[in-house]
């Protein structure tokens, strides 16, 4: 049987679940930058995801897919400026970005990843 590992487990969700060589990272919002600009929120989220990937034994060079939600699609270019710099040294993963109402108004970006572990 393949081992199932939870990273940063909590009462509601885990930061990631690793199973069968794949890490499924929960959607992250900018807990360290609520209400900040889209660029600052994106940077904060990517830092959180880097930390979670490290705890799962992987890194951004192994991202298979990314899902990004923006509360306002007009901020697409602002978010992409940060994202593009973050993936500049790796091959960019498959990705989808959509506009969606997020859980709280102070959060304007949410990102979830699927990563080879």
């Amino acid at each position: 049987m393949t081992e199932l590992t939870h990273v940063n487990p909590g009462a509601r969700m885990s930061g990631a679940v690793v199973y069968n060589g794949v890490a499924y990272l929960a959607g992250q919002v900018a807990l360290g930058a609520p209400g900040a600009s889209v660029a600052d929120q994106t940077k904060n989220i990517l830092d959180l995801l880097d930390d979670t990937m490290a705890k799962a034994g992987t890194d951004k060079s192994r991202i298979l897919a990314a899902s990004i939600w923006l509360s306002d699609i007009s901020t697409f270019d602002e978010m992409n400026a940060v994202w593009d710099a973050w993936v500049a040294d790796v091959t960019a993963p498959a990705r989808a970005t959509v506009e969606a109402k997020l859980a709280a108004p102070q959060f304007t970006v949410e990102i979830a990843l699927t990563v080879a572990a």
Side-chain angles (χ1 to χ4, degrees):
M1 180 183 294
T2 303
E3 184 176 335
L4 181 70
T5 304
H6 292 82
V7 177
N8 298 334
R12 179 171 290 154
M13 66 182 194
S14 293
V17 176
V18 182
Y19 179 74
N20 205 22
V22 179
Y24 303 89
L25 279 65
Q28 296 293 313
V29 294
L31 295 176
S37 69
V38 166
D40 287 344
Q41 287 197 28
T42 303
K43 171 79 171 93
N44 180 246
I45 293 166
L46 296 175
D47 289 345
L48 292 169
L49 291 169
D50 277 331
D51 181 63
T52 303
M53 284 187 286
K55 290 177 181 175
T58 192
D59 62 60
K60 68 182 176 183
S61 71
R62 299 181 53 82
I63 299 172
L64 302 171
S67 296
I68 302 174
W69 297 270
L70 298 172
S71 64
D72 181 349
I73 201 68
S74 73
T75 62
F76 185 73
D77 291 339
E78 184 180 353
M79 178 277 300
N80 270 332
V82 178
W83 173 270
D84 291 348
W86 186 68
V87 297
D89 59 340
V90 299
T91 301
R95 191 185 100 175
T97 305
V98 299
E99 181 179 80
K101 186 172 183 176
L102 301 182
Q106 67 269 28
F107 299 119
T108 56
V109 182
E110 182 170 346
I111 303 173
L113 303 176
T114 304
V115 188

